[in-house]
Amino acid sequence: MDGTDPAGALRRIHEVVAGARAGAADRDQLLTALSGLRLLREELASWEPELITAARAAGTSWVALAPALGVASRQAAERRYLRLQPSHTGETTGEARVDAERDRRAGDRAVADWARRNSAILRRIAGQVSALDGLGPAAQESADRIGAALGDDDPATLLPPLAAARPHLTGPHAGLAQELGEISARTDQLRRDAAGNRRSRD
């Protein structure tokens, strides 16, 4: 198939199909058409998630996308999209990608809820780290990111820069590093628990 001309490829395949129906297609034509059809199918399949992504970016809801995708609900539309997406975390099947994405979202919600309940603790530690003196360039960059995150209303935004700062807190700052380690362990456990709870409900 000519990758730059799907319409032309489809037209040639259709001509072979018409010939096959009339008993006028030879072996080489049929094999070429089958090969072209496979390539065309792969190219068309790659367009669907791209178009869905663009539609979502343009403000289209999953409810509006569902009939265009030939499914009955917003959940089914989102599920189809996740199945079509390439995996960045090692899942080998569409169903596994759906489960991984749902686990991630459940974990994000659990961690965000925990961060809001423990906002005072997170802001105290973040304030201490951002105010440290005599840090090296990398540590100071982490501290500056924490300081910027302190201005956000959502305390969950503090978690990534706090985790990134932990390796830089050595020597006299080991106590802060230990507190950050405990926070990371807690949020990791929350994610695991949230994923387990979600799967037990399915």
Side-chain angles (χ1 to χ4, degrees):
M1 185 190 76
D2 181 356
T4 63
D5 183 19
L10 180 60
R11 184 174 59 254
R12 290 190 293 275
I13 292 168
H14 186 266
E15 289 170 355
V16 175
V17 170
R21 288 171 177 169
D26 63 31
R27 174 180 177 276
D28 289 342
Q29 288 176 319
L30 293 168
L31 290 176
T32 298
L34 285 169
S35 178
L37 184 60
R38 174 179 56 81
L39 294 173
L40 182 60
R41 186 185 303 117
E42 291 172 358
E43 184 163 356
L44 291 174
S46 73
W47 291 356
E48 187 171 352
E50 186 176 351
L51 289 171
I52 295 171
T53 299
R56 290 287 293 158
T60 308
S61 69
W62 288 113
V63 171
L65 278 166
L69 298 177
V71 296
S73 68
R74 65 166 303 282
Q75 291 88 351
E78 187 173 8
R79 194 177 187 89
R80 178 176 178 82
Y81 174 63
L82 291 173
R83 283 174 177 158
L84 294 169
Q85 286 289 82
S87 171
H88 301 295
T89 52
E91 294 79 24
T92 57
T93 66
E95 198 63 35
R97 287 195 291 275
V98 171
D99 281 339
E101 178 64 15
R102 290 184 172 178
D103 285 349
R104 183 191 67 77
R105 292 179 184 176
D108 285 349
R109 288 193 296 270
V111 168
D113 288 344
W114 178 87
R116 283 189 286 271
R117 293 194 306 271
N118 293 273
S119 174
I121 295 172
L122 291 175
R123 292 189 183 281
R124 173 184 61 78
I125 296 173
Q128 289 178 280
V129 176
S130 65
L132 293 174
D133 294 324
L135 299 176
Q140 187 60 57
E141 184 178 347
S142 288
D144 291 344
R145 284 199 295 270
I146 292 169
L150 273 168
D152 197 297
D153 291 337
D154 185 358
T157 60
L158 290 168
L159 292 171
L162 284 173
R166 182 186 171 198
H168 302 297
L169 302 180
T170 58
H173 311 310
L176 280 173
Q178 182 176 348
E179 286 191 85
L180 294 182
E182 292 169 357
I183 289 171
S184 292
R186 178 59 177 153
T187 55
D188 287 346
Q189 185 62 52
L190 285 166
R191 291 183 182 282
R192 288 192 293 272
D193 290 347
N197 292 336
R198 184 198 69 77
R199 289 169 184 260
S200 69
R201 292 192 300 269
D202 287 352

